[in-house]
Amino acid sequence: MTFIWTTIGALLTLSIYSFLYKDNPFYKFAEHLVVGVSAGYYLVIYYFNFIHPNVFSPVFLLRMGGEPIGFGSFLWWMALIPGLLGILLYARFFPKFAWVGRWALGVYVGGYAGLGISPVMQARVIEQLRANAVSVAGVEDPFAAMTNLALGVVIFAAMTYLLIVKRNLGTKNLLAKIGVLLVSAVMGYAGWWVLSLISSTGVVSLTNILLVVGLLGTLSYFFFSMKHKGLLGGLARVGIAFLMVGFGASFGYTVMSRVSLLIGRVSFLLHDWLHLID
Amino acid sequence: MSWAEKVLKVDRRWIFLAIGIAVTIPFFLPLGLPVITTPPVQSLYDAVDELEPNAAPLLLSIDYAPATLPELEPMSMAILRHCFEKDVDVVVMTLHPAGYGLAERAVLNAAEEYDVTYGEDFAFLGFQPGVSAVILGMGINIRNVFPEDAYGTPLDELPLMQGVRNYDDIPLVISLAGWSAAEAWVYFAYQPYRQTVGAGVTAVMATDFYPYLNAGQLVGLLGGMRGAAEYEGLVQHPDQGTRGMDSQSVIHLLIIVLIAIGNTAYFMARRAKAPSGGGVS
Amino acid sequence: MTMKLLRSLTFLAVVSLAVCACAQDARPDSSAAMSLDTVPPAPITCLEARDYVDNSDAGDKIHITWSLSADDGGGMSDVASYQLWRSEGAEAGWDSLGVAAAGQTSYLDETAEPGVDYYYGVAAFDGVNYSEQTSFGPVAGRTNFFQKTRVSVLVLMLVFFGMVLVFTKLAERGADLFVRRIPGLNAIEEAVGRATEMGRPVLYVPGIGEIDNIMTIASLTILSHVAKITARYETPLIVPTARAVVMSAAEEVVKEAYAAVGKPDGYNPDNIRYLSDAQFAFAGAVNGIMLREKPAANLYMGAFWAESLLLAETGFEAGAIQVAGTAMVSQLPFFVTACDFTLMGEELYAASAYLSREPKLLGGLKGSDWMKVLSITIMATGVIIYLLNPDNAFVAWFSSQ
């Protein structure tokens, strides 16, 4: 029995991969089968896991989670009202009454925005701010960190200024000069950490510095209220470099992911179906 | 036509064929390349390893669909084996409708290999739609969201669920997902309830999860088949993940070579066309 | 006001007393004899009970904390557990509440009646003898509507929403809000110009998102801009769509754009096409257009999924100039590699706000812009303060639950 199912699975896999050669009826058949089967599968799963226990059973059978509930009780209404709102969504099939569907949609969108906004704000903004502030400064000995910082900034700011700024950015704007200097200082600090890395100290702090520099640069790149000149221009250039590295990493990971999918299928064909390998 | 142009115009089906061969050969001639454990995987392993046997259960949310099966199923098998081996109780659930059958299959397959009993050592709660509402609701009381398990048994009748009310009674949640469900666990379980959360995601998504790891919002992370292989190594039970690693390495090598050839050809062809070096920015 | 002050002072007094008691109690204990155990363990210290606030606060939880008995871990090392009692009044009897294991310094009473004053007693137990009981009270559980530990979330959210609303209002009143010109827009214009020079059409793909997708909406704004240029240059503009509603919206947008530059006759409704709702069927059909009709400029703006690389790669092979724009982070790497220019993430919205000056778009863009400035400021301040003092209130405020 298992063999028959595995064989069907294997044949469907091969049908899908036949698209690599060119579009053909086997591929079309498999594709449509997937769409149809998953629609049916989802319907069953949704009904028995959700609609039945949360709507049908409490409203009509007066039972919720194995416990009886009273007709017209609070829990009964709590099952009925959302159920009715859900049915309103289907009003869109009758153009004249389509607008009532918006009530349900309003509850849905409002509810989810309310649930989501605060945790997302906390997880993606506040926690990240805190973690970055702590990680960049998170060196055991604050005094050592400060001297490191000061020395690093001075040495590399001077070097970068002499080598790059003076030659390439002959700008007359004082603010811009200071800006570029600041950027070089930040880059300088990163450079200083490369040196200290070679000498003895840990990798963690270096990656943390890079993290913060990348974050600052990227945020600046996506700042639209000022022209990209001077300080902002410099930071934005740093940002774009980091973005590109990020995209490269992400590209690599994606390739890895897709390859894994292929490996999974090949493994299924060779191991589960043909038993050629163990 | 120069060789560079010929390379650029090659029928891509040859490349498909090369990839197909490269993926198949290592299955028959394993190279046995070592899989080195990375810190995010190690810390997830440690978090599971530190759980008390036969005490508060691990909540494993198997949130993947068939499309990401090869990357994520090895993870669930490895984690389940780790738990059953150490007698750690496991509660399995899913936030993805298509994950229902996959979650059930994973937990039943793993349970078959060990001497474990349904209801005492593991349970399967099934699926509930509405990701954020489900996760938030479980923080108040799991019974509000899952009044009964996947087979219609009220939770209180399952010995391992007795005394398990909400996240206070669950030391660790692990979400294995090929979509934003794993992120939702960070948003809605870690943030409001400070629930310890670990995640296993596809390699595509892994980069998006490092910030959470960095900020301590995730206790550990498995990224793609490689992460699964590392975990399999740690529990000393090599399976699908490890088996795929040789193919993965060979293909990566092939792709690097192809990228190098493609880029060289591209720049040579461009130089031949525009001697001044100018071109499209 | 006076009441508040008084309460704070009482609180401070209680805290300082507790601190003193803790400090004094670090007494050495080595007098124990190892015969039949008749010696009770040393009592616990620093007992405190507080109303417990969590996300499902019903006022029925009280959190009890204490410092370990001197014989737990140190001293005679014979503490087996801690016994907890609860009483509803100083004179009422003690009821057993629960047991905490040795080494534990807290217990959560989840059975309190909201609003009832309780007294708590804790004693160390060595298996035979109880230590002297330490007690604390009265304390009552309350339902808290506000979780003070999450103020930072509320404040930052209010600031952010406030900025968005203010900027939206300003934009509605016609204030001149500056948005820098996105370089990608120049790239789009160059691409259309090139297509005109070559006498070949422009292909504009508004993604496969539905009309309610914000990326699709941004894309339609940019489409209007592109349509005005193609109308002026009299270059054919092909717009393949994957959603019926997007197609009718695109028709409207393009028609209006042609009318706006005084070339209503140049509009060709056959060029706004619905191809297929199915993702890869759509991608295949667009690829077909690229190969047959040979557009010289391909513009991909909107929400894209796995079809992104299929489209961009075919376009690249066909030799078209390509400009893409999407906020789908996972697809950006593909567009960046295969296109000549890419509007990344928020740049898509910025371009759309820049072109349309629509108040809601502008308000959102400006609001998030200044939120970024605020973030950088907070982070920089955090780094400096943390360097000076790792235990500072500023960073702690952001790490609160």
Side-chain angles (χ1 to χ4, degrees), chain C residues 133-347:
Chain C
Q133 177 187 324
T134 315
S135 45
F136 183 90
V139 57
R142 275 177 300 136
T143 308
N144 297 279
F145 286 104
F146 192 74
Q147 196 171 340
K148 282 181 220 149
T149 50
R150 298 182 71 186
V151 178
S152 55
V153 183
L154 181 70
V155 170
L156 282 192
M157 249 164 57
L158 288 179
V159 170
F160 180 46
F161 288 170
M163 286 194 297
V164 171
L165 286 177
V166 167
F167 280 117
T168 312
K169 281 280 161 223
L170 283 175
E172 275 171 3
R173 286 194 195 146
D176 182 27
L177 299 177
F178 177 79
V179 174
R180 74 178 161 84
R181 193 178 161 82
I182 314 295
L185 288 175
N186 298 341
I188 292 177
E189 282 164 19
E190 271 168 35
V192 176
R194 178 80 78 89
T196 311
E197 278 169 25
M198 298 170 84
R200 300 216 310 241
V202 171
L203 179 76
Y204 188 101
V205 188
I208 64 166
E210 283 287 357
I211 191 76
D212 57 354
N213 190 315
I214 183 81
M215 285 181 242
T216 312
I217 297 170
S219 172
L220 290 174
T221 319
I222 300 172
L223 173 62
S224 161
H225 177 68
V226 171
K228 280 177 193 155
I229 311 175
T230 55
R232 260 186 235 118
Y233 294 166
E234 298 181 357
T235 308
L237 171 67
I238 305 171
V239 185
T241 59
R243 311 279 172 221
V245 188
V246 175
M247 184 190 87
S248 34
E251 275 178 340
E252 284 305 309
V253 165
V254 175
K255 203 165 150 187
E256 263 175 40
Y258 273 74
V261 294
K263 299 260 176 85
D265 299 338
Y267 168 65
N268 178 2
D270 289 344
N271 276 345
I272 319 294
R273 302 170 192 169
Y274 166 79
L275 298 178
S276 167
D277 259 62
Q279 185 183 15
F280 292 108
F282 173 76
V286 176
N287 285 350
I289 295 178
M290 287 181 199
L291 297 176
R292 280 189 308 273
E293 306 186 31
K294 299 211 178 301
N298 297 339
L299 310 174
Y300 313 102
M301 304 279 157
F304 290 87
W305 281 265
E307 70 286 352
S308 65
L309 190 57
L310 294 180
L311 297 176
E313 202 199 344
T314 314
F316 174 81
E317 275 183 17
I321 300 186
Q322 307 200 89
V323 185
T326 188
M328 300 291 290
V329 180
S330 51
Q331 303 307 324
L332 275 172
F334 302 119
F335 278 141
V336 168
T337 355
C339 294
D340 300 290
F341 208 99
T342 307
L343 295 171
M344 292 179 288
E346 233 186 324
E347 280 186 305

Side-chain angles (χ1 to χ4, degrees), chain A residues 224-238:
Chain A
F224 300 103
S225 293
M226 277 158 131
K227 283 191 177 158
H228 273 175
K229 281 185 189 164
L231 168 64
L232 196 64
L235 277 172
R237 268 195 296 280
V238 175

Side-chain angles (χ1 to χ4, degrees), chain B residues 3-259:
Chain B
W3 75 269
E5 279 166 6
K6 264 184 210 154
V7 165
L8 289 176
K9 288 269 181 300
V10 71
D11 188 338
R12 71 177 78 167
R13 280 175 290 199
W14 289 113
I15 297 174
F16 296 152
L17 188 66
I19 299 264
I21 293 170
V23 89
T24 315
I25 289 178
F27 279 114
F28 296 103
L29 302 167
L31 305 171
L33 297 173
V35 177
I36 297 153
T37 315
T38 50
V41 176
Q42 183 69 49
S43 51
L44 189 71
Y45 174 84
D46 291 343
V48 176
D49 210 54
E50 281 160 16
L51 297 178
E52 297 275 324
N54 296 315
L58 163 84
L59 179 66
L60 183 63
S61 190
I62 296 188
D63 304 325
Y64 51 78
T68 47
L69 198 67
E71 287 185 273
L72 299 171
E73 190 170 54
M75 294 181 191
S76 42
M77 293 307 286
I79 293 171
L80 284 165
R81 282 177 182 138
H82 188 191
C83 293
F84 289 154
E85 183 77 49
K86 295 202 61 202
D87 281 333
V88 171
D89 291 354
V90 192
V91 176
V92 176
M93 58 171 279
T94 178
L95 293 171
H96 196 296
Y100 185 94
L102 301 178
E104 193 181 33
R105 161 174 130 170
V107 71
L108 294 184
N109 281 348
E112 240 172 49
E113 299 171 13
Y114 297 85
D115 180 25
V116 286
T117 323
Y118 185 85
E120 284 171 27
D121 305 299
F122 70 100
F124 178 46
L125 301 185
F127 159 73
Q128 283 292 339
V131 181
S132 51
V134 170
I135 302 174
L136 280 171
M138 289 175 72
I140 295 167
N141 193 336
I142 295 176
R143 284 157 190 78
N144 294 348
V145 185
F146 290 101
E148 39 198 54
D149 73 357
Y151 312 108
T153 316
L155 291 199
D156 286 320
E157 288 174 22
L158 299 173
L160 97 155
M161 291 306 287
Q162 274 157 20
V164 179
R165 199 161 152 256
N166 53 31
Y167 296 133
D168 293 344
D169 311 308
I170 293 177
L172 175 65
V173 172
I174 299 179
S175 169
L176 304 175
W179 53 299
S180 54
E183 229 162 358
W185 281 103
V186 173
Y187 295 164
F188 302 111
Y190 173 80
Q191 286 308 343
Y193 299 108
R194 292 285 144 154
Q195 167 65 41
T196 313
V197 178
V201 298
T202 58
V204 177
M205 296 159 63
T207 36
D208 298 347
F209 279 75
Y210 276 89
Y212 299 127
L213 209 56
N214 176 53
Q217 293 156 300
L218 282 178
V219 68
L221 178 70
L222 306 182
M225 192 180 258
R226 158 91 203 195
E230 290 175 28
Y231 204 101
E232 283 174 1
L234 286 171
V235 296
Q236 292 171 347
H237 195 306
D239 196 18
Q240 302 167 54
T242 315
R243 201 190 300 145
M245 269 309 101
D246 279 343
S247 301
Q248 190 104 45
S249 308
V250 170
I251 292 207
H252 282 191
L253 206 65
L254 176 67
I255 289 175
I256 291 172
V257 170
L258 287 176
I259 289 178

